[in-house]
Amino acid sequence: MGTAKDVPGKKKGTTSRRLKKTAAKSPKGSTGSSGAKALAREVSGDAGSGRTLVIVESPTKAKSLTKMLGPKYVVKSTLGHIRDLPKSRLAIDVDHDFAPEYILVKGKAKVKNELAAIAGKASRILLASDPDREGEAIAWHLCEILGIPPESPCRVRFYEITPGAVKEAVKVPEKVNMNKVEAQQARRILDRLVGYTLSPLLWKKIRRGLSAGRVQSVALALVCAREREIKDFKPVEYWIVTVNASAGDGRAYALRVDSLDGKTLWKDGKSLHITSEEFVKTLVEEIERSSLSVTDFKVRESLRAAPAPFRTSTLQQEAARRAGLSPRRTMSIAQELFEGIALPGRGPTGLISYMRTDSLRIAPEALEKCRNFIASHYSAEHLPAKANIYASKGRSQDAHEAIRPTDVSIVPESLEGILSSDQMKLYSLIWKRYVASQMSPARVANATLSARAGRVGLRQLGESLVFPGWGAVWPLDLKGDFLQPALAGELLSVDGVDRDQKFTRPPARYSEASLIKVLEDEGVGRPSTYASIVETLYDRGYVSRNEDRRLQPTSLGMTVDEFLQAHFKDESLSAIVDTGFTARMENSLDDVEEGMTPWLSVLREFWEVFRRTMSRAESAPPLALPAPEPTGDPCPECGKPLVRKNGRFGEFIACSGYPACRHTEPVLAKTGAVCPSCGRGEIVRRKSRKGKTFYGCSRYPECDFVSWNPPSGNTCPLCGTATMTTGRKGGETCPKCGIVSQKEGGGDD
C-alpha cells in the first residue's frame, strides 16, 4: 500500500518541490513533507487560535458561506479545478500503472500560493468542494498541494447551502473518500486514453483536427443511427375514418372506424389496416346503408400516481420541454440556485439541494415539512396517509437526495423580482415537482363509447378529471376530451363522415432532452456528464440544431461515426460506440467508487483490448469526407463557388475558398409571403447568433423588418398585407394595420 500500484502519483513536471518528492506515492499513502505534519496538527485542531479556513470551488458559494459561518471562518475558492492533466500531451504513463502527471491549471499559481499562505496561519482547514466525484477529487488535490493527510477529518460536504445545514456539516468533518477519488481518476484517465489515442487516428484516416471521446462517440452513434433510420424510412399510407354523429337530445360524437367483421383495423395506435381510398369507400358505404347504434358505454376510473421528484436527467428533460432551457443552461442556473441567492430578511440562501444526483431519496425531516405544507395549503384529500417513497433506477448515490427546494415554504411567487426570469422558471419547476411528488394520486375517468353500423365497428374515447390530486400543482397533461354518456342500444344519426389520408412518419430526431433520456436509460454517462456530452457534439461540429431545435448530424459527424462503427462496434474487442459496452464501463467505475473493484484493474482490462483494436484500425484505408454541396452562386467577395456547410447552429453558406476567403451568409428558407414592410422582398426564416429562429425580409439590410413569429399564410382583409401569427393558437396580426384577430375556439397553447 502506498505505491504506484495502488493509486498513481505524479511524474516529473509537477509544480512544487513537495509534489516532486511524492512522485511515486499513492493518494492513500501521501503524507507530504515534515511541514505537512505540523499542518496535520492544525487540521486536528491542536494548533493556535487562528480562524478555520474553508475551501470551495465557487466564489458565489464562498460569499454565501462567509455570511453563514461568521468571523471565525475564512472562506476561499479555487475557481474550479486547481490541478489537472496537461492539455498538450497524453500525460499518462501506461507502462507504469497509468501514473498521471498532474499540473496546476493555467493561471492557478496565484490561487495556490494564497491558499498555502492562509493555510499556514489557520487553526483548521476544511475542504468543502461539491459532494460528488469531481468535488472529492478537488478535495484530494488540495490535500496534495497543502500537505493535508486525506485520512484526517478535513472534508465537509454540503448537500444544501442553508445556515442550519452548513453549520451542522462543519461540526462533523470527515476524511476524503478515496474510493470516489479513485473512481474520478479512473474516469479521467480512461477518457484521456481514448481521446488522445483515437483522435490522432481520425486525423490520419479522415481529417486533421478531429476528436473522439469515450462517451461522446456513443452519443454521436445514437444520433447518426436515428438519422439513418429517417433516411431509410418508407412511409406507409393509411386512412382515418371519423363518423360525426348525434343523439336526439343534441349530444354530439366523433366516432372513429375501429373494426370490420369484428377484426381490428388498428395497429400501433394507428388505423394501419385501412390502406387505400377504395377500402375507405367500402367502409363508408357500409356505414351509410346501416343504422348506427351504441353497443356499449363504459366509464372506468383510474389513479395517476404522483410524479417522482427531480433527479438531474429528469430536471434537464422537463426544463427543456416546459421552459425551453438547454441542459447546460439548466445546470448553470441550478448551480446558482444551489450556491445561494440573497433574499430580503434572510441573506444568502441556497434555494435547492445539490443538483447533480441520480437519487430519488428525500430526507425524513424534509418530507415532514413538505407534508405539513400540503396539509396547511390544500384540502385533506390532497395529502396521502403516508409519505410517497420513490425507488431509484439501478445504482444511485444514496448519500445525495433528489433535487428539492431547501425550504418548501419559500413559494415561487415570493421570489418575484428577486430571481431572474430563468432562475424563476427553474425554481418554479423544482418547487412544483417536489410538492406534487408528495400529494395524493389524481383520479381520472376514462370513458369508452362503442358503436356499430352493419359490419363496421366504431369507437370514441374520452377523459375527464374526477379529482386533481397532485395535478393541483403539476400539469396532468390530460389528452382526451370529456365524452357525453350514451346508452347501449340507442340510435345515433350520422351527420357526416370525414376521410383523412395519412402517412406514417419516420422516428423523430433527438432533442437534447430526449438524447439525455436515452443515454440514462442505456446506462451511459452520469448526472455530472449529461449536459457536457451534448455540448461536446456541438463543439466538435458533429451535430447541429435544425430549425425544430432537434439534433441533426453533420456530414462530418456521419463520416466520423461511419469510421468508428466500422472498427469499434460490437464485434470489435473494444466496442466504444456500443451503449452496452460503455454502460458496463460506467458500472465498473461505480464498483470502484463503492470499493468493490480496484481502479487499476479497470484500466488494465480496458487498455489491453483497446490497444489491440487500435492496432487493427491503424491499417484501415482513409475515409473521404463528402464534398460540400454547391449553391450555384458565386461568392460576392472573391467569385469562387458558394457551398452549403453545417455549423453548431445548423446549415449556413460559405465560400469554397475558405480559409483564404471567410465570407459566410445564412441559409434563407423562403416562406412565400411578401414582406409587409417594403412589399418587394420575401419573408425568409433566419437564425440568430444563439440559434433561435426568427423571420425577416430577404432584402435586409435595405429592409429591416423582423418578427419572432412566422407568416400565417393569410392576408389582412383590410389592406391585403401578409399577416403574421401571434403566438396564440389561431391568432394573427397585420404588421401594417395592427389588427389582431383570434380564430374561434383559439386560446393559449
Side-chain angles (χ1 to χ4, degrees), residues 73-114:
Y73 294 81
V74 56
V75 187
K76 292 293 179 180
S77 82
T78 61
L79 304 173
H81 279 274
I82 195 163
R83 286 201 312 175
D84 199 359
L85 300 171
K87 294 181 179 180
S88 59
R89 58 190 181 278
L90 178 63
I92 304 294
D93 191 343
V94 296
D95 296 323
H96 294 86
D97 281 337
F98 305 94
E101 177 190 337
Y102 291 117
I103 64 170
L104 278 181
V105 173
K106 187 177 181 181
K108 293 296 178 72
K110 183 178 178 181
V111 174
K112 175 240 178 186
N113 292 336
E114 181 185 11

Side-chain angles (χ1 to χ4, degrees), residues 37 175 216 291 388 451 519 610:
K37 295 179 181 178
K175 64 182 180 180
Q216 83 179 52
S291 60
N388 295 330
L519 290 172
F610 181 71

